[in-house]
Amino acid sequence: LDERLVVGEDLKCRRLVTLDLTGLPEGEARYFLEFIYGVVFALDATAEKVTDNIYLLAPPGVSVHNNTVPADAAVAAAGRSRGRDVQEESFWPVN
């Protein structure tokens, strides 16, 4: 529970979060992720799957996209423009 609360606090403080669930058993990872998706929804944040069991979480107003996708397409696909200022962050694909 402590780790889930830390993730929520980081998003509330507008920090990007890399969530790595690879060390958790499948059931615990699913429960953790369900909780985090609730936090993401409540905060109007975003969650992007990077690879199996690794997610990138971004606070509201921060658009996260793969650097191979044009920024305008990533913002439109995320539906985050809504008239707010959007800060963009890029990440490199994991091989």
Side-chain angles (χ1 to χ4, degrees):
L1 179 61
D2 290 340
E3 288 91 8
R4 292 179 294 217
L5 295 176
V6 168
V7 170
E9 286 295 323
D10 283 343
L11 287 173
K12 282 174 51 178
C13 292
R14 301 192 43 79
R15 290 189 283 260
L16 289 170
V17 176
T18 303
L19 184 61
D20 183 354
L21 303 175
T22 56
L24 291 177
E26 184 178 338
E28 289 181 37
R30 187 178 312 118
Y31 183 74
F32 196 106
L33 193 57
E34 288 173 359
F35 179 89
I36 294 304
Y37 276 144
V39 171
V40 165
F41 177 79
L43 295 177
D44 196 28
T46 57
E48 296 292 329
K49 185 174 184 178
V50 178
T51 63
D52 288 339
N53 293 320
I54 298 178
Y55 299 84
L56 187 59
L57 311 176
V62 176
S63 174
V64 178
H65 58 87
N66 186 318
N67 62 356
T68 61
V69 177
D72 293 341
V75 171
R80 295 288 179 208
S81 57
R82 294 190 216 160
R84 295 187 283 188
D85 292 332
V86 176
Q87 175 184 347
E88 295 182 3
E89 298 287 338
S90 295
F91 68 95
W92 287 271
V94 177
N95 294 328

